[in-house]
Amino acid sequence: SAVISQKPSRDICQRGTSLTIQCQVDSQVTMMFWYRQQPGQSLTLIATANQGSEATYESGFVIDKFPISRPNLTFSTLTVSNMSPEDSSIYLCSVGRMSIQETQYFGPGTRLLVL
Amino acid sequence: DQQVKQNSPSLSVQEGRISILNCDYTNSMFDYFLWYKKYPAEGPTFLISISSIKDKNEDGRFTVFLNKSAKHLSLHIVPSQPGDSAVYFCAAVYSGAGSYQLTFGKGTKLSVIP
């Protein structure tokens, strides 16, 4: 398995501001994912971040709102831009490998509250 | 439209008894199914998985059953322990076209009563 850390663990932000969430993995991984879990909802994939290429966004998520960086095989950032209260959620990064024999491992999450 | 559904938001079970968590899906193209456990303020932790070509997978106290014709899977925990109290997410994997995407259910909160 992989050990994943996220910063910050939680934050309270004002409407209209932006927050960058960092995800650090203790080993080199090809695929990193960013998820959102809104209150009472399932985990929803925002985007897949592969090193050396642009992130691939899921339907309903756009790069201008959620820019992602993946500078190397152990690190990624997700920025929540121009925040509104609807962005209040838990944001999780996860890592996985191409083989479906292996599962995804999740970080502890970042709890975001937008006022 | 939810492709993975967990219709029971919560479940309470006495310690020592069996816990059965259910999950239904709609996409017959899913290759793998996984169960994750999540404690408050922590990320989901992988628990057990099953390939779409199997109908049962067992790991200690945890057994997952898959009924492909019914598009239904279930997680059995025997015997249940208070430490099993958590939210359990069912997830399905479709690996077509080189992608590897998990689709999650909304979760079922399990409470094991001592």
Side-chain angles (χ1 to χ4, degrees):
Chain A
S1 64
V3 177
I4 305 165
S5 60
Q6 286 184 234
K7 289 182 181 179
S9 59
R10 59 177 62 227
D11 208 342
I12 301 174
C13 300
Q14 295 296 322
R15 181 196 298 260
T17 63
S18 298
L19 175 73
T20 295
I21 303 168
Q22 299 179 7
C23 178
Q24 180 76 52
V25 189
D26 69 341
S27 59
Q28 293 186 339
V29 293
T30 303
M31 302 180 77
M32 294 182 76
F33 308 89
W34 286 98
Y35 287 83
R36 178 174 75 181
Q37 185 187 12
Q38 293 180 305
Q41 301 298 313
S42 62
L43 286 77
T44 302
L45 181 64
I46 297 172
T48 302
N50 294 332
Q51 196 270 335
S53 62
E54 289 209 2
T56 304
Y57 289 82
E58 299 302 309
S59 175
F61 299 96
V62 295
I63 187 171
D64 290 345
K65 176 67 177 177
F66 297 102
I68 288 171
S69 79
R70 182 82 202 274
N72 57 54
L73 290 172
T74 63
F75 187 78
S76 178
T77 67
L78 170 76
T79 299
V80 187
S81 304
N82 188 24
M83 289 184 285
S84 66
E86 292 71 35
D87 294 320
S88 297
S89 186
I90 300 173
Y91 292 85
L92 299 122
C93 76
S94 79
V95 302
R97 293 174 175 80
M98 282 302 294
S99 169
I100 61 171
Q101 302 293 332
E102 301 182 44
T103 186
Q104 290 185 17
Y105 301 94
F106 285 84
T110 296
R111 289 178 177 270
L112 172 61
L113 176 63
V114 184
L115 302 177
Chain B
D1 179 35
Q2 265 197 295
Q3 295 191 63
V4 178
K5 296 181 183 179
Q6 293 176 258
N7 292 318
S8 298
S10 63
L11 175 68
S12 290
V13 173
Q14 287 286 338
E15 180 179 4
R17 306 293 290 270
I18 183 171
S19 295
I20 300 176
L21 298 106
N22 293 304
C23 179
D24 297 293
Y25 63 96
T26 57
N27 188 347
S28 59
M29 299 296 290
F30 287 134
D31 303 287
Y32 263 74
F33 302 91
L34 306 96
W35 285 94
Y36 283 84
K37 180 169 72 174
K38 185 180 185 299
Y39 294 116
E42 293 184 14
T45 303
F46 170 72
L47 196 56
I48 191 170
S49 66
I50 188 168
S51 165
S52 61
I53 63 174
K54 295 189 175 182
D55 55 18
K56 179 182 175 182
N57 187 27
E58 190 173 353
D59 184 3
R61 295 187 297 115
F62 302 92
T63 303
V64 57
F65 295 93
L66 175 63
N67 183 334
K68 283 193 72 176
S69 60
K71 293 191 178 66
H72 176 84
L73 66 154
S74 60
L75 173 68
H76 293 213
I77 306 174
V78 183
S80 301
Q81 299 173 354
D84 296 329
S85 297
V87 177
Y88 288 79
F89 290 97
C90 169
V93 179
Y94 172 61
S95 61
S99 67
Y100 177 51
Q101 180 170 332
L102 289 182
T103 302
F104 284 87
K106 289 188 177 183
T108 297
K109 183 176 181 180
L110 173 65
S111 299
V112 180
I113 304 164

